[in-house]
Amino acid sequence: MTRIAAVHGVLPAHRYGQRELAGAVAALRPDGDGHARALAERFAAGAGVEFRHLALPLERFAELDGFGRTNDAWLAAAAELAERAAAGALREAELPPEQVDFVVSTTVTGVAAPSLEARLAPRLGLREDVRRLPLFGLGCAGGAAGVAAVDDLLAGRPGGTALLLATELCSLTLQRADTSTANLLATALFGDGAGALVAVGDAVDCAGPEVVATRSRLYPGTERLLGWEVGDSGFRILLGAELPELVRLFVGEEVSSFLAAHDLKPNDVTAWVCHPGGPRVLDVLQDELGLPAAALAPSRASLARCGNLSSASVLHILRDVLAAGPPPPGSYGLMLALGPGFASELILLRW
């Protein structure tokens, strides 16, 4: 089985309180809509977020007047963050970069060709024959889906090493003229950050948690509930108000079914690594799975500290779980993330 050797998370240097951000974003809106501002402030207060880190200082956002310029800013900042995350993970795993056989990278907040990991390979010292798998469009599910992809790759090379990168600069998707409820809520919730994970195949000695099983699930008829509409100004968010109810209808049952396939129940899971989609989503998951408040405390703490980091969040939360002291040997963990599709990604871990 694949084992996780190290996880490292990084955040940009520009840190702001939630109230300051709400006021600054409102000032950027061209219409001065008082109702939109009041609604944005209400969402900001209820998002469960206290601080967020941005790729650029606040004063720079007024300069971003089109998708091209914004994407250029994304590429420069994303490369710097991803390099820091990858170097940190390799350092913690005590593995040289030339030992990496596979690199998987996921993002949904910018576009690059050559892709981000290709640009970083020489800077990180990766081999010229490293196998690359760039992923786009998985959104918040990308971190967990990336772990599943790494597991699949290493199944065919048990002596191999893989690097996963999740890099999201959600602030650079800001749509200043969009006063829709979805955009105002997203503006209150999402932050910037990157995470990296190093994993090794079954033949490599490693004390980290093993990947026992993975599951991906698409829920038909939900395609328009979460994702992007791409236009001249960049990425405009689709974020359906029905999402918490969909989590209630489908995801709780999906988690229980996945665990039951391994003779487990939710209360057999020691470590919950749940993507912090927002307070309501976490509340529904906790209620549907009958979890104690402590189970999702790492997710709520991550949301408060830096916001929803899209695909990078589950890597930050897994890092926090490991830093708090690994669970006892034989304990199970579950990584869970939701993304466009509407889809869920589940990863069963064992220490």
Side-chain angles (χ1 to χ4, degrees), residues 8 11 75 135 235 272 315:
H8 191 73
L11 298 166
L75 183 55
L135 306 174
F235 300 125
W272 290 86
L315 300 186

Side-chain angles (χ1 to χ4, degrees), residues 183 194 222 232 256 262 311 350:
N183 187 59
T222 62
D232 293 341
S256 295
H262 300 276
S311 68
R350 182 171 56 212

Side-chain angles (χ1 to χ4, degrees), residues 52-68:
R52 280 179 288 168
H53 294 246
L54 305 187
L56 303 177
L58 274 173
E59 59 269 19
R60 287 279 310 281
F61 282 82
E63 304 170 8
L64 304 178
D65 57 0
F67 182 45

Side-chain angles (χ1 to χ4, degrees), residues 17-23 37-50 52 184-185 187-189 279 303:
Q18 181 77 320
R19 180 173 294 183
E20 181 182 6
L21 279 176
R37 177 167 186 153
L39 191 60
E41 290 175 348
R42 192 181 83 191
F43 285 144
V49 178
E50 296 176 8
R52 280 179 288 168
L184 296 175
L185 178 57
T187 302
L189 188 61
L303 182 65

